[in-house]
């Protein structure tokens, strides 16, 4: 389910993301009261074309949706679930990435895509201080497990996607770099 030529023209650099991706080499580093916990994981990320959105009659965004389902390797249980959109604005070259997770945290991050030959590199970031590309969280999370920053870089080369995320938390009275990374393969449907 990689992008066809028509989708590449329509969605620009984010077309490279379209597909159903699977990977079992994930590593999560998350906060504990004392120290951290490292959890190997497997996951599926499904990224689908949506279409375009016109804002105030002036701005055109092309949009993909995604669902990311992440499971702990030792138990097989889902321990992270994330949904959102990828956006590309041709006029500015901006790439936007939104995410919502079940902890009642939402992020809108901004960045750029770079085409390096056959490779597409995208990086986006958000900061709690930024009014536009920022973070919204519940009152509880804000008081006890606050997300202060978010950064992600993604590279796609043919049917391989790798990403690194760094979520800057303030939890248990200290700053903590909550990180996640994985390499996934696009599941290509066999031709009959
Ligand atoms: C593959 C991606 C991710 C995985 C596998 C993951 C997994 C985890 C795990 C295992 C914990 C510890 C939970 C506990 O101790 O009870 C945690 C904590 C947390 N995560 Fe993530 N996470 C991911 C991405 C994110 C993202 C993108 C955000 C927000 C932008 C986020 C926000 C948080 C917060 C605020 C906590 C602190 C809550 C707590 O420990 O009580 N995570 N995450």
């Amino acid at each position: 389910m990689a992008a066809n030529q028509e989708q590449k023209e329509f969605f620009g650099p984010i077309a490279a993301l379209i597909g159903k991706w699977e990977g079992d080499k994930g590593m999560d580093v998350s906060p504990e009261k004392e120290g951290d916990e490292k959890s190997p994981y497997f996951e599926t990320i499904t990224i689908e074309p949506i279409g375009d959105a016109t804002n105030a009659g002036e701005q055109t965004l092309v949009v993909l949706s995604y669902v990311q389902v992440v499971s702990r390797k030792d138990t097989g249980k889902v321990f992270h679930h994330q949904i959102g959109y990828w956006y590309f604005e041709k006029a500015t070259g901006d790439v936007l990435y939104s995410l919502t997770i079940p902890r009642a945290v939402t992020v809108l991050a901004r960045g750029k895509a770079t085409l390096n030959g056959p490779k597409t590199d995208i990086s986006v970031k958000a900061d709690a201080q930024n009014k536009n590309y920022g973070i919204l969280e519940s009152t509880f999370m804000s008081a006890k497990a606050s997300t202060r920053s978010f950064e992600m870089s993604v590279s796609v080369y043919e049917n391989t996607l790798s990403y690194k995320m760094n979520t800057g938390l303030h939890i248990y009275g200290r700053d903590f770099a909550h990180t996640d990374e994985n390499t996934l393969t696009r599941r290509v449907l066999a031709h009959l």
Side-chain angles (χ1 to χ4, degrees):
M1 188 174 86
N4 58 35
Q5 193 51 37
E6 202 180 313
Q7 288 173 327
K8 283 183 189 160
E9 277 162 29
F10 189 82
F11 291 103
I14 62 171
L17 297 163
I18 294 171
K20 184 160 189 174
W21 301 89
E22 289 177 345
D24 62 0
K25 310 258 177 309
M27 180 55 74
D28 169 73
V29 181
S30 53
E32 293 278 285
K33 228 174 191 137
E34 277 155 32
D36 60 26
E37 184 183 34
K38 294 186 178 65
S39 311
Y41 64 80
F42 63 92
E43 67 180 320
T44 303
I45 307 178
T46 309
I47 307 177
E48 294 182 329
I50 296 294
D52 56 7
T54 309
N55 292 325
E58 285 179 25
Q59 183 194 43
T60 302
L61 301 173
V62 288
V63 187
L64 311 174
S65 69
Y66 75 89
V67 179
Q68 180 176 14
V69 183
V70 187
S71 304
R72 216 183 259 283
K73 266 195 177 175
D74 55 2
T75 61
K77 277 196 167 175
V78 174
F79 75 144
H80 180 79
H81 190 278
Q82 189 175 316
I83 59 169
Y85 296 100
W86 280 101
Y87 312 78
F88 175 63
E89 185 185 15
K90 203 174 181 180
T92 58
D94 278 355
V95 173
L96 307 183
Y97 176 75
S98 70
L99 71 89
T100 298
I101 58 172
R103 298 181 190 280
V105 178
T106 292
V107 175
L108 182 64
R110 174 170 65 167
K112 296 280 181 203
T114 328
L115 301 182
N116 295 308
K119 199 160 150 268
T120 304
D121 296 310
I122 303 175
S123 46
V124 292
K125 57 166 121 177
D127 193 290
Q129 306 299 321
N130 192 311
K131 252 189 97 226
N132 302 110
Y133 304 106
I135 295 149
L136 281 178
E137 58 193 4
S138 66
T139 0
F140 179 89
M141 294 305 274
S142 176
K144 298 283 189 174
S146 184
T147 302
R148 301 282 167 86
S149 61
F150 172 81
E151 278 185 44
M152 182 176 64
S153 55
V154 183
S155 291
V156 182
Y157 173 66
E158 294 180 347
N159 289 320
T160 302
L161 179 156
S162 22
Y163 71 81
K164 281 186 181 191
M165 286 198 254
N166 188 337
T167 308
L169 301 181
H170 190 79
I171 183 167
Y172 305 128
R174 67 186 201 273
D175 291 328
F176 185 90
H178 176 22
T179 59
D180 291 281
E181 55 183 275
N182 202 0
T183 297
L184 299 91
T185 304
R186 185 160 21 214
R187 194 204 279 173
V188 181
L189 298 178
H191 292 285
L192 295 176

